[in-house]
Coordinates of all heavy atoms in Angstrom, one line a residue:
N13 N 31.2 -24.8 -131.1 CA 30.5 -24.3 -132.3 C 29.0 -24.2 -132.0 O 28.4 -25.2 -131.5 CB 30.7 -25.2 -133.5 CG 32.1 -25.4 -133.9 OD1 32.9 -24.4 -133.9 ND2 32.5 -26.6 -134.1
V14 N 28.4 -23.1 -132.3 CA 26.9 -22.9 -132.1 C 26.4 -22.4 -133.4 O 26.9 -21.4 -134.0 CB 26.7 -21.9 -131.0 CG1 25.2 -21.6 -130.8 CG2 27.2 -22.4 -129.6
T15 N 25.3 -23.0 -133.9 CA 24.7 -22.6 -135.1 C 23.7 -21.5 -134.9 O 22.7 -21.6 -134.2 CB 23.9 -23.8 -135.7 OG1 24.8 -24.9 -135.9 CG2 23.4 -23.5 -137.1
L16 N 24.0 -20.4 -135.6 CA 23.1 -19.2 -135.5 C 22.1 -19.2 -136.7 O 22.4 -19.8 -137.7 CB 24.0 -17.9 -135.6 CG 25.1 -17.8 -134.5 CD1 25.8 -16.4 -134.7 CD2 24.5 -17.9 -133.1
P17 N 21.0 -18.4 -136.6 CA 20.1 -18.4 -137.7 C 20.8 -17.7 -138.9 O 21.6 -16.9 -138.8 CB 19.0 -17.5 -137.2 CG 19.1 -17.5 -135.7 CD 20.5 -17.7 -135.4
E18 N 20.4 -18.2 -140.1 CA 20.9 -17.6 -141.3 C 20.2 -16.3 -141.7 O 19.0 -16.1 -141.3 CB 20.7 -18.6 -142.5 CG 21.5 -19.9 -142.3 CD 23.0 -19.8 -142.5 OE1 23.4 -18.7 -142.9 OE2 23.7 -20.8 -142.2
P19 N 20.9 -15.4 -142.3 CA 20.3 -14.1 -142.6 C 19.0 -14.1 -143.4 O 18.1 -13.3 -143.3 CB 21.4 -13.3 -143.4 CG 22.6 -14.0 -143.0 CD 22.3 -15.5 -142.8
D20 N 18.9 -15.2 -144.3 CA 17.7 -15.2 -145.2 C 16.5 -16.0 -144.6 O 15.6 -16.3 -145.3 CB 18.1 -15.8 -146.6 CG 18.7 -17.2 -146.4 OD1 19.0 -17.7 -145.3 OD2 18.8 -17.9 -147.5
W21 N 16.6 -16.4 -143.4 CA 15.5 -17.2 -142.8 C 14.3 -16.3 -142.5 O 14.5 -15.1 -142.2 CB 16.0 -17.9 -141.5 CG 16.8 -19.1 -141.7 CD1 17.3 -19.6 -142.9 CD2 17.4 -19.9 -140.6 NE1 18.1 -20.7 -142.6 CE2 18.1 -20.9 -141.3 CE3 17.3 -19.9 -139.3 CZ2 18.8 -21.9 -140.6 CZ3 17.9 -20.9 -138.6 CH2 18.7 -21.9 -139.2
S22 N 13.1 -16.9 -142.5 CA 11.9 -16.2 -142.2 C 11.9 -16.0 -140.6 O 12.5 -16.7 -139.9 CB 10.7 -17.0 -142.6 OG 10.6 -18.2 -141.8
P23 N 11.1 -15.0 -140.2 CA 11.0 -14.8 -138.7 C 10.5 -16.1 -138.0 O 10.9 -16.4 -136.9 CB 9.9 -13.7 -138.6 CG 10.1 -12.9 -139.9 CD 10.4 -13.9 -140.9
Q24 N 9.6 -16.8 -138.6 CA 9.1 -18.0 -138.0 C 10.2 -19.1 -137.8 O 10.3 -19.7 -136.8 CB 7.9 -18.6 -138.8 CG 7.4 -19.9 -138.2 CD 6.2 -20.5 -139.0 OE1 5.7 -19.9 -139.9 NE2 5.8 -21.7 -138.6
R25 N 11.0 -19.2 -138.9 CA 12.0 -20.2 -138.8 C 13.1 -19.8 -137.8 O 13.6 -20.7 -137.0 CB 12.7 -20.4 -140.2 CG 13.7 -21.6 -140.2 CD 14.3 -21.8 -141.6 NE 15.2 -22.9 -141.6 CZ 16.0 -23.3 -142.6 NH1 15.9 -22.6 -143.7 NH2 16.8 -24.3 -142.5
I26 N 13.4 -18.5 -137.7 CA 14.3 -18.1 -136.7 C 13.8 -18.3 -135.3 O 14.5 -18.8 -134.4 CB 14.6 -16.5 -136.9 CG1 15.4 -16.3 -138.2 CG2 15.4 -16.0 -135.7 CD1 15.5 -14.8 -138.5
A27 N 12.5 -18.1 -135.1 CA 11.9 -18.3 -133.7 C 11.9 -19.8 -133.4 O 12.2 -20.1 -132.2 CB 10.5 -17.8 -133.7
E28 N 11.6 -20.6 -134.3 CA 11.7 -22.1 -134.1 C 13.1 -22.5 -133.8 O 13.3 -23.4 -132.9 CB 11.1 -22.9 -135.3 CG 9.6 -22.7 -135.4 CD 9.0 -23.5 -136.6 OE1 9.9 -24.0 -137.4 OE2 7.8 -23.6 -136.7
H29 N 14.1 -22.0 -134.5 CA 15.5 -22.4 -134.3 C 15.9 -21.9 -132.9 O 16.5 -22.7 -132.1 CB 16.3 -21.7 -135.3 CG 17.8 -22.0 -135.2 ND1 18.4 -23.1 -135.6 CD2 18.8 -21.3 -134.6 CE1 19.7 -23.1 -135.4 NE2 20.0 -22.0 -134.7
M30 N 15.6 -20.7 -132.5 CA 16.0 -20.2 -131.2 C 15.3 -20.8 -130.1 O 15.7 -20.8 -128.9 CB 15.8 -18.6 -131.2 CG 16.7 -17.9 -132.1 SD 18.5 -18.2 -131.9 CE 18.7 -17.6 -130.2
A31 N 14.1 -21.4 -130.3 CA 13.4 -22.2 -129.3 C 14.3 -23.3 -128.8 O 14.2 -23.7 -127.6 CB 12.1 -22.8 -129.8
G32 N 15.2 -23.8 -129.6 CA 16.1 -24.8 -129.2 C 17.3 -24.3 -128.3 O 18.1 -25.1 -127.8
F33 N 17.3 -23.0 -128.1 CA 18.4 -22.3 -127.3 C 17.7 -21.5 -126.2 O 18.0 -20.3 -126.0 CB 19.3 -21.5 -128.2 CG 20.2 -22.2 -129.1 CD1 20.1 -22.1 -130.5 CD2 21.1 -23.1 -128.6 CE1 20.9 -22.8 -131.3 CE2 22.0 -23.8 -129.5 CZ 21.9 -23.6 -130.8
N34 N 16.7 -22.1 -125.5 CA 16.1 -21.4 -124.4 C 17.0 -21.5 -123.2 O 18.1 -22.1 -123.2 CB 14.7 -22.0 -124.1 CG 14.8 -23.4 -123.8 OD1 15.3 -23.8 -122.8 ND2 14.2 -24.3 -124.7
R35 N 16.6 -20.9 -122.1 CA 17.4 -20.8 -120.9 C 17.8 -22.1 -120.4 O 18.9 -22.4 -119.9 CB 16.7 -20.0 -119.8 CG 17.5 -19.7 -118.6 CD 16.9 -18.5 -117.8 NE 15.7 -18.9 -117.2 CZ 15.5 -19.4 -116.0 NH1 16.6 -19.7 -115.3 NH2 14.3 -19.7 -115.5
G36 N 16.9 -23.1 -120.5 CA 17.2 -24.4 -120.0 C 18.1 -25.2 -120.9 O 19.1 -25.8 -120.4
T37 N 17.9 -25.1 -122.2 CA 18.7 -25.9 -123.1 C 20.1 -25.3 -123.4 O 21.0 -26.0 -123.8 CB 18.0 -26.2 -124.5 OG1 17.5 -24.9 -125.0 CG2 16.8 -27.1 -124.3
V38 N 20.2 -24.0 -123.2 CA 21.5 -23.4 -123.2 C 22.4 -24.0 -122.1 O 23.6 -24.4 -122.4 CB 21.5 -21.8 -123.0 CG1 22.8 -21.3 -122.7 CG2 21.0 -21.2 -124.3
I39 N 21.9 -24.2 -120.9 CA 22.6 -24.8 -119.9 C 22.9 -26.3 -120.2 O 24.1 -26.7 -120.1 CB 21.8 -24.8 -118.5 CG1 21.6 -23.3 -118.1 CG2 22.6 -25.6 -117.4 CD1 22.8 -22.6 -117.8
S40 N 21.9 -27.0 -120.6 CA 22.2 -28.5 -120.9 C 23.1 -28.6 -122.1 O 24.0 -29.5 -122.1 CB 20.9 -29.2 -121.2 OG 20.2 -28.7 -122.3
T41 N 23.1 -27.7 -123.1 CA 24.0 -27.8 -124.2 C 25.4 -27.5 -123.8 O 26.4 -28.1 -124.2 CB 23.5 -26.8 -125.3 OG1 22.2 -27.2 -125.7 CG2 24.5 -26.9 -126.5
A42 N 25.6 -26.5 -122.9 CA 26.9 -26.1 -122.4 C 27.5 -27.3 -121.6 O 28.7 -27.6 -121.7 CB 26.9 -24.8 -121.6
I43 N 26.7 -27.9 -120.8 CA 27.1 -29.1 -120.0 C 27.5 -30.2 -121.0 O 28.6 -30.8 -120.8 CB 26.0 -29.6 -119.1 CG1 25.8 -28.5 -118.0 CG2 26.3 -30.9 -118.5 CD1 24.5 -28.8 -117.1
H44 N 26.7 -30.4 -122.0 CA 26.9 -31.5 -122.9 C 28.2 -31.3 -123.7 O 29.0 -32.2 -123.8 CB 25.7 -31.6 -123.9 CG 25.8 -32.6 -124.9 ND1 25.1 -33.8 -124.9 CD2 26.6 -32.7 -126.1 CE1 25.4 -34.5 -126.0 NE2 26.3 -33.9 -126.7
E45 N 28.4 -30.1 -124.2 CA 29.5 -29.9 -125.2 C 30.8 -29.6 -124.4 O 31.9 -30.0 -124.9 CB 29.2 -28.7 -126.1 CG 28.0 -28.9 -127.0 CD 28.1 -30.0 -128.0 OE1 29.3 -30.5 -128.2 OE2 27.1 -30.5 -128.6
A46 N 30.8 -29.0 -123.2 CA 32.0 -28.5 -122.6 C 32.2 -29.1 -121.2 O 33.1 -29.9 -121.0 CB 32.0 -27.0 -122.5
Y47 N 31.5 -28.6 -120.2 CA 31.8 -29.0 -118.8 C 30.6 -29.6 -118.2 O 29.6 -29.0 -117.9 CB 32.1 -27.7 -118.1 CG 33.3 -27.0 -118.5 CD1 33.3 -25.6 -118.8 CD2 34.6 -27.6 -118.6 CE1 34.4 -24.9 -119.2 CE2 35.7 -26.9 -119.0 CZ 35.6 -25.6 -119.3 OH 36.7 -24.9 -119.7
P48 N 30.7 -30.9 -117.8 CA 31.9 -31.8 -118.0 C 31.7 -32.8 -119.1 O 32.2 -33.9 -119.1 CB 31.8 -32.6 -116.6 CG 30.4 -32.8 -116.4 CD 29.7 -31.5 -116.9
G49 N 31.1 -32.3 -120.2 CA 30.8 -33.2 -121.4 C 32.0 -33.4 -122.3 O 33.1 -33.8 -121.9
H50 N 31.7 -33.2 -123.6 CA 32.7 -33.6 -124.6 C 34.1 -33.0 -124.4 O 35.1 -33.7 -124.5 CB 32.2 -33.2 -126.0 CG 31.1 -33.9 -126.5 ND1 30.9 -35.3 -126.3 CD2 30.0 -33.5 -127.2 CE1 29.7 -35.7 -126.8 NE2 29.2 -34.6 -127.4
Y51 N 34.2 -31.7 -124.1 CA 35.5 -31.1 -124.0 C 36.3 -31.7 -122.9 O 37.5 -32.1 -123.0 CB 35.3 -29.6 -123.7 CG 36.6 -28.8 -123.5 CD1 37.7 -29.0 -124.5 CD2 36.8 -27.9 -122.5 CE1 38.8 -28.3 -124.3 CE2 38.0 -27.2 -122.4 CZ 39.0 -27.4 -123.3 OH 40.2 -26.7 -123.1
T52 N 35.7 -31.9 -121.7 CA 36.4 -32.5 -120.6 C 36.8 -34.0 -120.9 O 37.9 -34.4 -120.6 CB 35.5 -32.5 -119.3 OG1 35.1 -31.1 -119.1 CG2 36.2 -33.0 -118.1
Q53 N 35.8 -34.7 -121.5 CA 36.1 -36.1 -121.8 C 37.3 -36.3 -122.8 O 38.2 -37.1 -122.6 CB 34.9 -36.8 -122.3 CG 35.2 -38.3 -122.6 CD 34.0 -39.1 -123.1 OE1 33.1 -38.4 -123.7 NE2 33.9 -40.4 -123.0
F54 N 37.2 -35.4 -123.9 CA 38.3 -35.6 -124.9 C 39.6 -35.1 -124.4 O 40.7 -35.6 -124.9 CB 37.9 -34.8 -126.1 CG 36.7 -35.4 -126.8 CD1 35.8 -34.6 -127.6 CD2 36.3 -36.7 -126.7 CE1 34.7 -35.1 -128.2 CE2 35.2 -37.3 -127.3 CZ 34.4 -36.5 -128.1
L55 N 39.7 -34.2 -123.4 CA 40.9 -33.9 -122.8 C 41.5 -35.1 -122.1 O 42.7 -35.3 -122.1 CB 40.8 -32.7 -121.8 CG 40.5 -31.3 -122.4 CD1 40.2 -30.3 -121.3 CD2 41.7 -30.9 -123.2

């Protein structure tokens, strides 16, 4: 599950939200949630 910006958010709030999904944190989040993080462990 990935939380996307809501349609009624302001441009500033969208930008701040998406700052948490930069190129570096997309990788670390995918590692954390899936491989070899939660998904692998729960299997």
Side-chain angles (χ1 to χ4, degrees):
N13 303 315
V14 177
T15 304
L16 304 181
E18 297 289 351
D20 60 348
W21 284 3
S22 68
Q24 179 181 350
R25 187 175 180 186
I26 291 173
E28 290 182 349
H29 179 82
M30 293 305 297
F33 290 117
N34 60 67
R35 188 161 65 89
T37 52
V38 163
I39 297 296
S40 61
T41 302
I43 291 171
H44 178 107
E45 300 295 345
Y47 296 128
H50 291 322
Y51 180 48
T52 304
Q53 183 183 20
F54 293 153
L55 288 172

